Amino acid sequence: MSTLRDLAEEHTGLGPADIDQLHRLAGDWQLLSDLSFADLLLWVPVRSDGGPRSFLCVAQVRPVTAPTAYQDDQVGKIVGGPEVAHLDVAFAQGRIWREGDPVWYGDTPARHEAIPVRRHEPPAPDTYPEVIAVIGRDTNLSTARTPSQLELNYLTTADDLAQMVTDGTFPPPRVPGETTSAPRVGDGLIRLDAAGKVTYASPNAQSAYRRLGFNAHLVGEEMSALFTRLAADPLEGTDAAERILAALRGESPPRQEVEARGATVLMRALPLLPAGVPIGALVLVRDVTEVRRRDRALMTKDATIREIHHRVKNNLQTVAALLRLQARRVDVPEAKNALEESVRRVASIALVHETLSMSSDEAVEFDGIVDRVATAAMEVASTEVSVKMRREGSFGVLPAEIATSLVMVLNELLINAVEHGFNDEGEGARPEAGAEVVVTAHRFRKQLHVTVADNGRGLPDDFQPDAGGRLGLQIVRALATGELRGTIELRNRSDSGTEAVLVVPLGKR
C-alpha cells in the first residue's frame, strides 16, 4: 500500500507544504473520528484534463468509539461522478456539506458529510485560504440510538473541530521536539468554556483527577487554578495552569505531565476556535502512572547495567595492571611474552565493557573498538617493520555477546598478521606497497563477513590450520566456532601475504 505522500505526489498537484499539512492532519484526526463516532476519509482531487473532478483517498481512520462504516480499506481508491458529489460541493464552495439522505455500503446504512481542508496560511480579509483536500465523515447508522450526555458533548466538540479544519486552524502547529502520538478521547476529555471553567468531564477524566487527589466533581471548576492546587511541584502546577490559559487565548501549548500523590497525568490542551472565535478549550488527560513507573524502573535497570559494565572494565584493567607488573619481574623471555600477550587480551575485552558502560543498550558501535585495538596491535607488535593498518567497510552496531568474543579474535589476528607477516625488516613486504594490514567488514544475508589481510610473507608451507599451533590461533578457532558460532579460514592470498576470513551469523542467538 502506498503512503499518503506517495499517492499525493503521483496523482495530484499538491506541493510539499500542502502534503506536510495533510500528514499533520492524519496524525491528529483520530481525535475527530472518535468524537464524531464516524470514519474519516481524506480525499484529494486528482489531476484532470478539464473533465468532471475525481477524488483519490489518501488516508483513512476508523473510530474506536463506534462501528466502522467501511469493512474494506479505501486508501488508493479513485472515485468520481455522483458518488462524490458531496465532496465536490465542499471542495468548490469551501463549506461543510451535511445535506443528503443516508447511503448504503452493502448492508450498512451511513450518513455522508464533507469537511473542506484549508491551508494554514493566514487568509486575506473576508476571504478563506485555498481548499487543498476534503475529509469525508461517514457515520455508520446501523446502531443509531438516543445519545447520552457524553455522546452529545463529543458530537458538539467534533463539530467545533470540524469547523476549525475548515478554517485551517486544526490541527494546530506541532511543537518542535514533541512526540507525535495522536490524542485519544477514551483516556479522558474535559471541555472548558471561554472563562476556563469545566462544562463537561468524561468519566475517565474524572477518574484521572481522583488519582491526583481531587474527589469532587470537575464541572464548574476553574481548570488552571485546579492544577495549581493539585500539583506536588508548585512550578509544575504553575506551568500546567499557564498552558491552560494559553489554550484559552487560542494558542496550542505542548503536552504537560502533572504529578500528585504518586500519580502522573499527561495533559494536552487544545484551543476551540470555530470560525476564528475563541469559545474555550479542550483538555485531554491520560493517566500514565504505570507507564512512568515502568520507565523509571527501566532507567534504574539501565543505570545498574552500565555501572556493572563500568566495574567489570575497572576490574579487567586492574587484572591487566597486575599482569603487567608481574611481567616486569620475570626474566624468562617466553614467560614475559606470555604475560604481555595476556595483558593485551584482557585490555581488548575491557574496551568492549568501557563502550557498554557509556551506552544505554546492550550493543556497541564496533568500528571505534576495532580502530583502537588495531592501533594498539600496531604499537606493541614485536617487529622492526613499520606496518600501516586501515579499515574498509563498517561493522555497525553489534550486541555485547558478539562484540566481546569478536574483539579478542581480531586482536589475535592483527597481532599474528604483524608479527608473523613482517618478522624482519623488509622481509615479506612488497617495497612498492609498504607493509600493510587491511581489516574489511561487510554484512550480507544476516551474516558479518570479516577479512584481516596483510601483504607479508604468507603462511609457511608446512602450516596446518587444525593443528595445535600457537595459543593465539587456538583462541581464535575456539571463539570463532564456539562463542561466535561462525567459521574461520586462514589462507595465502593470490599475490602475496595472508588473509583470515571470518563469517559470523547475526541472527537470534
Coordinates of all heavy atoms in Angstrom, one line a residue, residues 17-95:
A17 N 4.5 21.6 1.1 CA 3.9 22.2 2.3 C 2.5 21.7 2.5 O 2.1 21.4 3.6 CB 3.9 23.7 2.2
D18 N 1.7 21.5 1.4 CA 0.4 21.0 1.5 C 0.4 19.5 2.0 O -0.4 19.2 2.8 CB -0.3 21.1 0.2 CG -0.5 22.6 -0.3 OD1 -0.6 23.4 0.6 OD2 -0.6 22.8 -1.5
I19 N 1.3 18.8 1.4 CA 1.4 17.3 1.8 C 1.8 17.2 3.3 O 1.3 16.4 4.0 CB 2.3 16.6 0.9 CG1 1.8 16.6 -0.6 CG2 2.5 15.2 1.4 CD1 2.7 16.0 -1.6
D20 N 2.7 18.1 3.7 CA 3.1 18.0 5.1 C 1.9 18.4 6.0 O 1.7 17.8 7.1 CB 4.2 19.0 5.4 CG 5.5 18.6 4.8 OD1 5.7 17.3 4.6 OD2 6.4 19.4 4.6
Q21 N 1.1 19.3 5.6 CA -0.1 19.7 6.4 C -1.1 18.5 6.5 O -1.7 18.2 7.5 CB -0.9 20.9 5.8 CG -2.1 21.2 6.6 CD -2.8 22.5 6.1 OE1 -2.2 23.3 5.5 NE2 -4.1 22.6 6.3
L22 N -1.2 17.8 5.3 CA -2.1 16.6 5.4 C -1.6 15.5 6.3 O -2.3 14.8 6.9 CB -2.3 16.1 3.9 CG -3.0 17.0 3.0 CD1 -3.2 16.3 1.6 CD2 -4.4 17.5 3.5
H23 N -0.2 15.4 6.3 CA 0.4 14.4 7.2 C 0.1 14.8 8.7 O -0.2 13.9 9.5 CB 1.9 14.4 7.0 CG 2.3 13.3 6.1 ND1 2.2 12.0 6.4 CD2 2.9 13.3 4.8 CE1 2.7 11.2 5.4 NE2 3.1 12.0 4.4
R24 N 0.2 16.1 9.0 CA -0.1 16.5 10.4 C -1.6 16.3 10.7 O -1.9 15.9 11.8 CB 0.2 18.0 10.5 CG 1.7 18.3 10.5 CD 2.0 19.7 11.0 NE 1.3 20.7 10.2 CZ 1.8 21.3 9.2 NH1 3.0 20.9 8.7 NH2 1.2 22.2 8.5
L25 N -2.5 16.5 9.7 CA -3.9 16.2 9.9 C -4.1 14.7 10.2 O -4.8 14.4 11.2 CB -4.7 16.7 8.7 CG -6.2 16.4 8.7 CD1 -6.9 17.0 9.9 CD2 -6.8 16.8 7.4
A26 N -3.5 13.9 9.4 CA -3.7 12.4 9.6 C -3.1 12.0 10.9 O -3.4 10.9 11.5 CB -3.0 11.7 8.5
G27 N -2.1 12.8 11.5 CA -1.5 12.4 12.8 C -2.4 12.7 13.9 O -2.3 12.1 15.0
D28 N -3.3 13.7 13.8 CA -4.2 14.1 14.9 C -5.7 13.8 14.7 O -6.5 14.1 15.6 CB -4.0 15.6 15.1 CG -2.9 16.0 16.0 OD1 -2.3 15.0 16.6 OD2 -2.6 17.2 16.2
W29 N -6.1 13.3 13.5 CA -7.5 13.2 13.3 C -8.2 12.0 13.9 O -9.4 11.9 13.8 CB -7.8 13.3 11.8 CG -7.4 12.1 11.0 CD1 -6.6 11.0 11.4 CD2 -7.8 11.8 9.6 NE1 -6.5 10.1 10.4 CE2 -7.2 10.5 9.3 CE3 -8.6 12.4 8.7 CZ2 -7.4 9.9 8.0 CZ3 -8.8 11.8 7.5 CH2 -8.2 10.6 7.1
Q30 N -7.5 11.2 14.6 CA -8.1 10.1 15.4 C -9.1 10.8 16.4 O -10.1 10.2 16.7 CB -7.1 9.2 16.1 CG -7.7 8.1 16.9 CD -8.3 7.0 16.0 OE1 -7.6 6.4 15.2 NE2 -9.6 6.7 16.1
L31 N -8.7 11.9 16.9 CA -9.5 12.6 17.9 C -10.8 13.0 17.3 O -11.9 12.8 17.9 CB -8.7 13.9 18.3 CG -9.5 14.9 19.2 CD1 -9.9 14.3 20.5 CD2 -8.7 16.2 19.4
L32 N -10.8 13.6 16.1 CA -12.0 14.0 15.4 C -12.9 12.8 15.0 O -14.1 12.8 15.2 CB -11.7 14.8 14.1 CG -12.8 15.3 13.3 CD1 -13.8 16.2 14.1 CD2 -12.3 16.0 12.0
S33 N -12.3 11.7 14.6 CA -13.0 10.5 14.3 C -13.7 9.9 15.5 O -14.9 9.6 15.5 CB -12.1 9.4 13.7 OG -12.7 8.2 13.5
D34 N -13.0 9.9 16.7 CA -13.7 9.3 17.9 C -14.8 10.2 18.4 O -15.8 9.7 18.9 CB -12.6 9.1 19.0 CG -11.6 8.1 18.6 OD1 -11.9 7.3 17.7 OD2 -10.5 8.0 19.2
L35 N -14.6 11.5 18.4 CA -15.6 12.5 18.8 C -16.8 12.4 17.9 O -18.0 12.7 18.3 CB -15.1 13.9 18.9 CG -14.0 14.2 20.0 CD1 -13.4 15.6 19.8 CD2 -14.6 14.1 21.3
S36 N -16.6 12.1 16.6 CA -17.7 12.1 15.6 C -18.4 10.8 15.6 O -19.5 10.7 15.0 CB -17.2 12.5 14.2 OG -16.5 13.7 14.2
F37 N -17.8 9.7 16.2 CA -18.3 8.3 16.1 C -18.4 8.0 14.6 O -19.4 7.3 14.1 CB -19.7 8.2 16.7 CG -19.8 8.6 18.1 CD1 -20.2 9.9 18.5 CD2 -19.3 7.8 19.1 CE1 -20.3 10.3 19.8 CE2 -19.4 8.2 20.5 CZ -19.9 9.4 20.8
A38 N -17.4 8.4 13.8 CA -17.5 8.2 12.3 C -16.2 7.9 11.7 O -15.1 8.3 12.3 CB -18.1 9.5 11.7
D39 N -16.2 7.3 10.6 CA -15.0 7.1 9.8 C -14.6 8.4 9.1 O -15.5 9.2 8.7 CB -15.2 6.0 8.7 CG -15.4 4.6 9.2 OD1 -16.5 4.4 9.7 OD2 -14.5 3.8 9.1
L40 N -13.3 8.6 9.0 CA -12.8 9.8 8.3 C -12.0 9.3 7.1 O -11.1 8.5 7.3 CB -12.0 10.7 9.2 CG -12.6 11.3 10.4 CD1 -11.7 12.2 11.1 CD2 -13.9 12.0 10.1
L41 N -12.3 9.8 5.9 CA -11.5 9.5 4.7 C -11.0 10.8 4.2 O -11.7 11.8 4.0 CB -12.4 8.8 3.7 CG -12.7 7.3 3.9 CD1 -13.7 7.1 5.0 CD2 -13.2 6.7 2.6
L42 N -9.7 10.9 3.9 CA -9.1 12.1 3.3 C -9.0 12.0 1.8 O -8.3 11.1 1.3 CB -7.7 12.3 3.9 CG -6.9 13.5 3.6 CD1 -7.7 14.8 4.0 CD2 -5.6 13.6 4.2
W43 N -9.7 12.9 1.2 CA -9.8 12.9 -0.3 C -9.1 14.1 -0.9 O -9.3 15.2 -0.4 CB -11.3 12.9 -0.8 CG -12.1 11.7 -0.3 CD1 -12.9 11.7 0.8 CD2 -12.3 10.5 -1.0 NE1 -13.5 10.5 0.9 CE2 -13.2 9.7 -0.2 CE3 -11.8 9.9 -2.1 CZ2 -13.5 8.4 -0.5 CZ3 -12.1 8.6 -2.5 CH2 -13.0 7.9 -1.7
V44 N -8.3 13.8 -1.9 CA -7.7 14.9 -2.6 C -8.1 14.9 -4.1 O -8.2 13.8 -4.7 CB -6.1 14.9 -2.5 CG1 -5.7 15.1 -1.1 CG2 -5.6 13.5 -3.0
P45 N -8.2 16.0 -4.8 CA -8.6 16.0 -6.2 C -7.4 15.5 -7.0 O -6.3 15.9 -6.8 CB -9.0 17.4 -6.5 CG -8.2 18.2 -5.5 CD -8.1 17.4 -4.3
V46 N -7.7 14.7 -8.0 CA -6.6 14.2 -8.9 C -6.6 15.0 -10.1 O -7.5 15.8 -10.4 CB -6.9 12.7 -9.3 CG1 -6.9 11.8 -8.1 CG2 -8.2 12.6 -10.0
R47 N -5.4 15.0 -10.8 CA -5.2 15.8 -12.0 C -6.2 15.4 -13.0 O -6.5 14.2 -13.2 CB -3.8 15.6 -12.5 CG -2.7 16.0 -11.6 CD -1.4 15.9 -12.3 NE -0.2 16.3 -11.4 CZ 0.5 15.4 -10.8 NH1 0.2 14.1 -10.9 NH2 1.5 15.8 -10.0
S48 N -6.7 16.3 -13.7 CA -7.7 16.1 -14.8 C -7.5 17.0 -16.0 O -6.7 18.0 -15.9 CB -9.1 16.3 -14.3 OG -9.4 17.6 -13.9
D49 N -8.1 16.7 -17.1 CA -7.9 17.5 -18.3 C -9.2 18.4 -18.6 O -9.6 18.6 -19.7 CB -7.7 16.6 -19.5 CG -6.5 15.7 -19.4 OD1 -5.5 16.3 -18.8 OD2 -6.5 14.6 -19.9
G50 N -9.7 18.8 -17.5 CA -10.9 19.7 -17.6 C -12.2 19.0 -17.5 O -13.3 19.7 -17.6
G51 N -12.2 17.7 -17.3 CA -13.5 16.9 -17.2 C -14.0 17.0 -15.8 O -13.5 17.8 -14.9
P52 N -15.0 16.2 -15.4 CA -15.5 16.2 -14.1 C -14.4 15.8 -13.0 O -13.5 15.0 -13.3 CB -16.6 15.1 -14.1 CG -17.0 15.0 -15.6 CD -15.7 15.3 -16.3
R53 N -14.5 16.5 -11.9 CA -13.5 16.3 -10.9 C -13.6 14.9 -10.2 O -14.7 14.5 -9.9 CB -13.6 17.4 -9.8 CG -12.5 17.4 -8.8 CD -12.7 18.5 -7.7 NE -12.4 19.8 -8.3 CZ -13.3 20.8 -8.4 NH1 -14.5 20.6 -7.9 NH2 -12.9 21.9 -8.9
S54 N -12.5 14.2 -10.1 CA -12.4 12.9 -9.4 C -11.5 13.1 -8.1 O -10.7 14.0 -8.0 CB -11.8 11.8 -10.3 OG -12.6 11.6 -11.4
F55 N -11.7 12.2 -7.2 CA -11.0 12.3 -5.9 C -10.3 11.0 -5.6 O -10.8 9.9 -5.9 CB -12.0 12.7 -4.8 CG -12.5 14.1 -4.8 CD1 -13.6 14.4 -5.6 CD2 -11.9 15.1 -4.1 CE1 -14.1 15.7 -5.7 CE2 -12.3 16.4 -4.2 CZ -13.5 16.7 -5.0
L56 N -9.2 11.1 -4.9 CA -8.4 10.0 -4.5 C -8.3 10.0 -3.0 O -8.0 11.0 -2.4 CB -6.9 10.1 -5.1 CG -5.8 9.2 -4.5 CD1 -6.1 7.8 -4.9 CD2 -4.5 9.7 -5.0
C57 N -8.6 8.8 -2.4 CA -8.5 8.6 -1.0 C -7.0 8.3 -0.6 O -6.4 7.3 -1.1 CB -9.4 7.5 -0.5 SG -9.4 7.2 1.3
V58 N -6.4 9.2 0.2 CA -5.0 9.1 0.5 C -4.8 8.6 2.0 O -3.7 8.3 2.4 CB -4.2 10.4 0.3 CG1 -4.2 10.7 -1.2 CG2 -4.8 11.5 1.1
A59 N -5.9 8.7 2.8 CA -5.8 8.2 4.2 C -7.1 7.9 4.7 O -8.2 8.4 4.3 CB -5.1 9.3 5.1
Q60 N -7.2 7.0 5.7 CA -8.4 6.6 6.4 C -8.2 6.3 7.8 O -7.2 5.8 8.2 CB -9.0 5.4 5.6 CG -10.3 4.8 6.2 CD -10.7 3.6 5.5 OE1 -10.1 3.1 4.5 NE2 -11.8 3.0 6.0
V61 N -9.2 6.6 8.7 CA -9.1 6.3 10.1 C -10.5 5.9 10.5 O -11.5 6.4 10.1 CB -8.6 7.5 10.9 CG1 -9.6 8.7 10.9 CG2 -8.4 7.1 12.4
R62 N -10.6 4.8 11.3 CA -11.8 4.3 11.9 C -12.0 4.7 13.3 O -11.0 4.8 14.1 CB -11.9 2.8 11.8 CG -11.9 2.3 10.3 CD -12.0 0.8 10.3 NE -12.2 0.3 8.9 CZ -11.2 0.0 8.1 NH1 -10.0 0.1 8.4 NH2 -11.5 -0.5 6.9
P63 N -13.2 5.0 13.8 CA -13.4 5.4 15.2 C -13.2 4.2 16.1 O -13.6 3.0 15.8 CB -14.8 5.9 15.2 CG -15.5 5.1 14.1 CD -14.5 4.9 13.1
V64 N -12.7 4.4 17.3 CA -12.7 3.4 18.4 C -13.9 3.5 19.3 O -14.1 2.7 20.1 CB -11.4 3.5 19.2 CG1 -10.2 3.3 18.4 CG2 -11.4 4.9 19.9
T65 N -14.8 4.5 19.0 CA -16.0 4.7 19.8 C -17.2 4.2 19.2 O -18.3 4.3 19.8 CB -16.1 6.2 20.1 OG1 -16.1 7.0 18.9 CG2 -15.0 6.7 21.0
A66 N -17.2 3.7 17.9 CA -18.4 3.3 17.2 C -18.0 2.3 16.1 O -16.8 2.2 15.8 CB -19.0 4.5 16.6
P67 N -18.9 1.6 15.6 CA -18.6 0.6 14.5 C -18.3 1.4 13.2 O -18.7 2.5 13.0 CB -19.9 -0.2 14.3 CG -21.0 0.7 14.9 CD -20.4 1.5 16.0
T68 N -17.4 0.8 12.4 CA -17.0 1.4 11.2 C -18.0 1.3 10.1 O -18.9 0.4 10.1 CB -15.7 0.8 10.7 OG1 -15.2 1.4 9.5 CG2 -15.9 -0.7 10.4
A69 N -18.0 2.3 9.2 CA -18.9 2.2 8.0 C -18.3 1.4 6.9 O -19.0 1.1 5.9 CB -19.3 3.6 7.6
Y70 N -17.0 1.2 7.0 CA -16.2 0.5 5.9 C -15.5 -0.7 6.4 O -14.6 -0.6 7.3 CB -15.2 1.5 5.2 CG -15.8 2.7 4.6 CD1 -15.9 3.9 5.3 CD2 -16.3 2.7 3.3 CE1 -16.4 5.0 4.7 CE2 -16.8 3.8 2.7 CZ -16.9 5.0 3.5 OH -17.4 6.1 2.9
Q71 N -15.8 -1.9 5.9 CA -15.1 -3.1 6.3 C -13.8 -3.1 5.5 O -12.8 -3.7 5.9 CB -15.9 -4.3 6.0 CG -17.2 -4.4 6.9 CD -16.9 -4.3 8.4 OE1 -15.9 -4.9 8.8 NE2 -17.7 -3.6 9.1
D72 N -13.8 -2.6 4.2 CA -12.6 -2.6 3.4 C -11.9 -1.3 3.4 O -12.5 -0.2 3.6 CB -13.0 -2.9 1.9 CG -13.7 -4.2 1.8 OD1 -13.3 -5.2 2.5 OD2 -14.6 -4.4 0.9
D73 N -10.6 -1.4 3.2 CA -9.7 -0.2 3.2 C -10.0 0.6 1.9 O -10.1 0.0 0.8 CB -8.3 -0.6 3.3 CG -7.4 0.6 3.6 OD1 -7.3 1.0 4.8 OD2 -6.8 1.2 2.7
Q74 N -10.1 1.9 2.1 CA -10.4 2.8 0.9 C -9.2 3.5 0.4 O -9.3 4.2 -0.7 CB -11.5 3.8 1.3 CG -12.8 3.2 1.9 CD -13.5 2.4 0.9 OE1 -13.9 2.9 -0.2 NE2 -13.8 1.1 1.2
V75 N -8.1 3.4 1.0 CA -6.9 4.2 0.6 C -6.5 3.7 -0.8 O -6.4 2.5 -1.0 CB -5.8 4.0 1.6 CG1 -4.5 4.7 1.1 CG2 -6.2 4.6 3.0
G76 N -6.2 4.7 -1.7 CA -5.8 4.3 -3.0 C -7.0 4.3 -4.0 O -6.8 4.2 -5.2
K77 N -8.2 4.4 -3.5 CA -9.4 4.4 -4.4 C -9.6 5.7 -5.0 O -9.6 6.8 -4.4 CB -10.6 3.9 -3.6 CG -11.9 3.8 -4.3 CD -13.0 3.3 -3.4 CE -14.3 3.2 -4.2 NZ -15.4 2.7 -3.3
I78 N -9.9 5.7 -6.3 CA -10.2 6.9 -7.1 C -11.7 6.8 -7.5 O -12.1 5.9 -8.1 CB -9.3 7.1 -8.3 CG1 -7.9 7.3 -7.9 CG2 -9.8 8.3 -9.1 CD1 -6.9 7.4 -9.1
V79 N -12.5 7.9 -7.1 CA -13.9 7.9 -7.5 C -14.3 9.2 -8.1 O -13.6 10.2 -7.9 CB -14.8 7.6 -6.2 CG1 -14.6 6.2 -5.6 CG2 -14.5 8.6 -5.1
G80 N -15.4 9.2 -8.8 CA -15.9 10.4 -9.5 C -17.4 10.3 -9.7 O -18.0 9.3 -9.4
G81 N -17.9 11.3 -10.3 CA -19.4 11.3 -10.7 C -20.2 11.5 -9.5 O -19.9 12.1 -8.5
P82 N -21.5 11.0 -9.5 CA -22.5 11.2 -8.4 C -22.0 10.7 -7.1 O -22.4 11.3 -6.1 CB -23.7 10.5 -8.9 CG -23.5 10.3 -10.4 CD -22.1 10.2 -10.7
E83 N -21.1 9.7 -7.1 CA -20.7 9.2 -5.8 C -19.9 10.2 -5.0 O -19.9 10.1 -3.7 CB -19.8 7.9 -6.1 CG -19.4 7.2 -4.8 CD -18.6 5.9 -5.2 OE1 -18.4 5.6 -6.4 OE2 -18.1 5.3 -4.2
V84 N -19.3 11.2 -5.6 CA -18.5 12.2 -4.8 C -19.1 13.6 -5.0 O -18.3 14.5 -4.8 CB -17.0 12.1 -5.3 CG1 -16.4 10.8 -5.0 CG2 -16.9 12.4 -6.8
A85 N -20.4 13.7 -5.3 CA -21.0 15.0 -5.4 C -20.8 15.8 -4.2 O -20.6 17.0 -4.2 CB -22.4 14.8 -5.8
H86 N -21.0 15.2 -3.0 CA -20.8 15.9 -1.7 C -19.4 16.4 -1.5 O -19.2 17.5 -1.0 CB -21.3 15.1 -0.6 CG -20.4 13.8 -0.4 ND1 -20.3 12.8 -1.3 CD2 -19.7 13.4 0.7 CE1 -19.5 11.9 -0.9 NE2 -19.2 12.2 0.3
L87 N -18.4 15.6 -2.0 CA -17.0 16.1 -1.9 C -16.8 17.3 -2.8 O -16.1 18.2 -2.4 CB -16.1 14.9 -2.2 CG -16.2 13.6 -1.4 CD1 -15.2 12.6 -1.9 CD2 -15.9 13.9 0.1
D88 N -17.3 17.2 -4.0 CA -17.1 18.3 -5.0 C -17.7 19.6 -4.5 O -17.1 20.7 -4.6 CB -17.8 17.9 -6.3 CG -17.3 18.7 -7.4 OD1 -16.1 18.7 -7.7 OD2 -18.1 19.4 -8.1
V89 N -18.9 19.5 -3.8 CA -19.5 20.7 -3.3 C -18.7 21.3 -2.2 O -18.4 22.6 -2.2 CB -20.9 20.4 -2.8 CG1 -21.5 21.6 -2.0 CG2 -21.9 20.0 -3.9
A90 N -18.2 20.5 -1.3 CA -17.4 21.0 -0.2 C -16.1 21.6 -0.7 O -15.6 22.6 -0.2 CB -17.1 19.9 0.8
F91 N -15.5 21.0 -1.7 CA -14.2 21.4 -2.3 C -14.4 22.7 -3.0 O -13.6 23.7 -2.9 CB -13.6 20.4 -3.2 CG -12.3 20.7 -3.7 CD1 -11.1 20.4 -3.0 CD2 -12.1 21.3 -5.0 CE1 -9.9 20.7 -3.5 CE2 -10.9 21.7 -5.5 CZ -9.7 21.4 -4.7
A92 N -15.5 22.8 -3.8 CA -15.7 24.0 -4.7 C -16.2 25.2 -3.9 O -15.8 26.3 -4.1 CB -16.6 23.7 -5.8
Q93 N -17.1 25.0 -2.9 CA -17.7 26.0 -2.2 C -17.0 26.3 -0.8 O -17.3 27.4 -0.2 CB -19.2 25.7 -1.9 CG -20.0 25.6 -3.2 CD -21.4 25.3 -3.0 OE1 -21.9 25.4 -1.8 NE2 -22.2 24.9 -4.0
G94 N -16.1 25.5 -0.4 CA -15.4 25.7 0.8 C -16.2 25.7 2.1 O -15.9 26.4 3.0
R95 N -17.2 24.9 2.1 CA -18.1 24.8 3.3 C -18.4 23.3 3.7 O -18.2 22.4 2.8 CB -19.4 25.5 3.0 CG -20.3 24.8 1.9 CD -21.6 25.5 1.8 NE -22.5 24.8 0.8 CZ -23.3 23.8 1.0 NH1 -23.3 23.3 2.2 NH2 -24.0 23.3 0.0

